[in-house]
Amino acid sequence: MRYSKLFGKTVRNAPKDATFISHQLLFRAGYIREVVAGRYILTPLGLRVEQKIIGIIDGEMEKIGSQRVILPTLHPLEIWQATHRDTAWGEDLMKLKDRRGAELVVGATAEGLMVELVKMFNPTYKDLPIVIHQFSQKFRDELRARGGLLRLREFLMKDAYSFATDEESFLKTYYDQYHAYERIAERLDLKAVPVLADSGALGGDFCHEFMVPVSSGEDRILACDKCDYKANVEKAEFVRDEVNMSESEKPLEKVSQPEWVETMADNEKHYGLPARRFLKNVVYKTGKGKIIIAVIRGDLDINERKLVRLIGEGELRPATEPDLKKLGTRSGWVHSWGHPGAFYVGDHSLKTVRNFIGGQKEKETDMVNVNYGRDFKVELLGDIALAPSGAGCPKCQGQLQELKTMEFGHCFKYDDFYTKAQGGTFVDKDGKEKFMQMGAYGIGVERALALIVETHHDGRGIIWPAAVSPYQVHLINLNSKFVIPNSEGKDGITNNESGIRAEEVYEQLNGAGIEVLYDDRDGVSAGEKFADADLIGIPVRLVVSEKSLAGGGVEWKLRNSQETKIVKTAALAGEVSGLLAAHSSQ
């Protein structure tokens, strides 16, 4: 491709709201343009990268026996209603009605529809396991689409689904996908870390996220410094340290306390003690209006995902001041016990402190020497705390260390969550119908593209891994102003050897099946061409100039290196092919 003819050119400045480096560089290099928030166009350069990512993913899916299908974008609403996923997804789910009045969901994911597809073929145990995948557009009405390709409202996803007869057979399909994701990440040159994670709105009780450590990452994982335990912060378990359990229990006492003491910071200031000595209460409301008061040690925070799972009553939202008023209280005055009509849930940390302070805030008083079990109890006690960095590992004596990351892929184990609700059965060896065991596996393709840029760049631009680069070679002609004669030889010729040789190199590499982006522009300085080449990020740069020809060939430079060398024109195709072969074998 001649750069002079390429649709989509480089620009010097990124959008003002582009905070992530991938957003900035992909825009400046001409790979993407935004239509509206969360919806992007991929230019020819961007599409070439995406197609190579798809090829790598699809190839690894084929290796594990997954077969490719394609589903409609619009799903009947009743399929989502069967598992109450329409409610769980809430406002992120986009819906519409057709002219016949049928209610449809714009596909955000495809578990339900995949169950319906497999049901159509009345599988028996002989047909299972079934593993199928697709590449399709997904639509999610994200509240805050941001980060360029990192958080979109419309995006391409590889979503795969497995159906099996039993736990043992299912786990084989699950770990086939798990290991395929490891290979895909390696081929994309992404250092993805598999971690235990929460399934969220998609259901299930066991899943892994593949997280890529990135300094600008918005996700957090916790990894043990001594063993292999790794988990998303929303899922991570931890050992709660004992604060002062050697103390004897003291008599419960009501003490004077200034009215201004409302927040945890106020408590620390007034009593001169650390937050871990205090009780903290956080109030939520279920979709049906039930008030939940979560009680926890003062230095810890509520993990809302854990709380939702423990309660099992759907999504929660923070209580409002009117909600608190109905309880007879207000923010900063919530009690750890005793509000009629509230359902109390406590964290295990309530058992790590003797003689808590707080829990019954009034205008001029509060309680001290409060002990869980003696002075109050909650209706439900469990793990509802957000694991902090430095906490004890649940598997060994190590400590959990925090890493900033971004998600690359996700594997879900659903058991019969979907198949039971939708009648997804198979006929087993004994002739009885049983529910299929199901899993789902997703990779966002545009997100993977952006993650590669987040982890492969320098101050000058993108540095594409050879496997996904839009072109394999960026050829630059530094003396391009010349005219090729027509059949009669009457065109005025500005003869310069480097221009002619650049054309020959371009044809030679194309003839060898090597993908070339050829900067053939007239009237553009060498500095500008070099800057564009660095920004676009193709792994091999070849320069044809009078200087290189005087040196015996073409100047060769790798994008991730400062070293240059002269390669004879006749050897160029072999050098490039060798480099690509070496990369593909890694």
Side-chain angles (χ1 to χ4, degrees), residues 200-221:
L202 292 169
D205 60 0
F206 172 76
C207 68
H208 288 87
E209 287 175 330
F210 286 76
M211 308 297 282
V212 177
V214 183
S215 60
S216 57
E218 294 183 306
D219 294 315
R220 294 187 298 138
I221 67 171

Side-chain angles (χ1 to χ4, degrees), residues 383-431:
D383 177 10
I384 59 171
L386 200 64
S389 183
C393 174
K395 288 182 64 177
C396 74
Q397 300 300 310
Q399 284 191 333
L400 301 180
Q401 304 299 321
E402 182 178 293
L403 290 174
K404 290 185 176 182
T405 61
M406 293 183 182
E407 182 183 335
F408 161 68
H410 212 143
C411 295
F412 297 91
K413 177 179 181 288
Y414 290 147
D415 300 325
D416 60 4
F417 178 86
Y418 286 92
T419 55
K420 190 173 185 178
Q422 296 180 233
T425 62
F426 72 100
V427 178
D428 206 352
K429 292 178 182 179
D430 57 10

Side-chain angles (χ1 to χ4, degrees), residues 100-115:
R100 299 169 185 81
E103 292 186 281
L104 301 165
V105 168
V106 185
T109 183
E111 283 82 357
L113 198 53
M114 283 290 185
V115 173

